Amino acid sequence: MMRFIFIFSLLFASYTAIANYQPHDGDVIFQSSQSNQSKAIEQATNSPYSHVGIIFIKNGKPYVFEAASKVIYTPLDKWINRGKNKTYVIKRLKNHPLSQQEITSLKQVAHKFENKPYDIWFGWDDKYIYCSELVWKIYNRALKLKIGQLQTIKDFNLSSPAVKQKLKERYGNNIPYQETVISPVAIFNSPLLSTVDKRD
């Protein structure tokens, strides 16, 4: 009986944490995507997170601004339901409540990326955009913050068959090992962020 009560209390506590979460403009949300490249990203970066977006409030409702097939706004509940097992982690700037001016700056920078096509080659220019690049550049250009450590492709674990296959598909024999990249886990591990909600 006591074991049942303990398990129930854990489940209730988890539900309460989710129910009490209030989305804020600028929150950063992570998940394991079910896209066909997700496994390769997770293995290359040694992380369970392969997709990331930034939350913005529009007309009183939370949306995830993300680089999918193109850069779009996706309703938060739809974004969560699309992820693997519907699990996610949401982080927020630590000890830095965003001012209205800062929120406006984030949204102005975000608007410049809207509808840009997804970058399957993970290049660092703005012609095409991938998910973590989108979040990093919005924060950097709006608030001069570096949310996560930039790396190069050669810094990742490129040894698994799934990763090798994706590299072959995208680049053939001309892998740009020195290309600047930012991964979802680099943003996740940024000391500037702290967790405000999660569903395991």
Side-chain angles (χ1 to χ4, degrees):
M1 181 65 179
M2 289 300 295
R3 182 179 179 185
F4 171 78
I5 293 173
F6 176 71
I7 293 173
F8 178 80
S9 66
L10 286 178
L11 291 174
F12 180 76
S14 176
Y15 172 80
T16 302
I18 294 167
N20 288 341
Y21 167 71
Q22 295 295 322
H24 287 194
D25 285 300
D27 285 354
V28 182
I29 184 167
F30 304 82
Q31 70 177 194
S32 175
S33 166
Q34 300 197 68
S35 70
N36 61 13
Q37 68 176 7
S38 178
K39 182 179 179 180
I41 292 173
E42 291 169 10
Q43 291 181 357
T45 61
N46 297 313
S47 167
Y49 305 110
S50 55
H51 192 45
V52 59
I54 183 169
I55 293 174
F56 288 121
I57 310 301
K58 295 182 65 180
N59 301 318
K61 297 181 179 180
Y63 289 79
V64 179
F65 193 60
E66 62 165 338
S69 58
K70 61 181 180 179
V71 178
I72 57 172
Y73 286 93
T74 302
L76 176 60
D77 56 351
K78 181 179 179 180
W79 195 91
I80 290 171
N81 289 336
R82 200 180 64 204
K84 184 177 179 181
N85 300 323
K86 301 180 182 180
T87 60
Y88 63 86
V89 175
I90 300 176
K91 295 199 171 195
R92 185 176 294 163
L93 282 181
K94 190 185 302 180
N95 304 318
H96 186 142
L98 291 174
S99 68
Q100 191 55 54
Q101 182 178 354
E102 288 174 321
I103 291 170
T104 298
S105 294
L106 287 173
K107 290 182 175 181
Q108 287 174 341
V109 173
H111 180 69
K112 297 176 182 178
F113 290 108
E114 194 169 356
N115 293 318
K116 283 186 176 286
Y118 184 80
D119 187 359
I120 64 171
W121 301 281
F122 302 108
W124 196 242
D125 60 52
D126 289 355
K127 186 176 181 181
Y128 303 92
I129 299 291
Y130 58 91
C131 68
S132 43
E133 176 189 15
L134 178 70
V135 173
W136 196 93
K137 286 183 174 178
I138 289 173
Y139 262 102
N140 183 247
R141 294 178 185 180
L143 305 183
K144 308 301 182 187
L145 295 176
K146 296 181 178 180
I147 309 291
Q149 181 65 45
L150 297 179
Q151 297 174 275
T152 60
I153 288 178
K154 69 178 177 58
D155 294 326
F156 296 120
N157 179 2
L158 309 180
S159 62
S160 79
V163 174
K164 288 180 177 179
Q165 179 183 349
K166 282 300 171 187
L167 290 174
K168 185 71 174 178
E169 288 175 6
R170 302 288 167 83
Y171 308 113
N173 296 320
N174 299 305
I175 301 172
Y177 290 106
Q178 301 299 325
E179 183 72 38
T180 298
V181 288
I182 183 72
S183 66
V185 71
I187 296 176
F188 185 89
N189 290 332
S190 170
L192 300 180
L193 301 176
S194 60
T195 299
V196 292
D197 191 33
K198 65 179 178 178
R199 179 181 292 165
D200 296 319

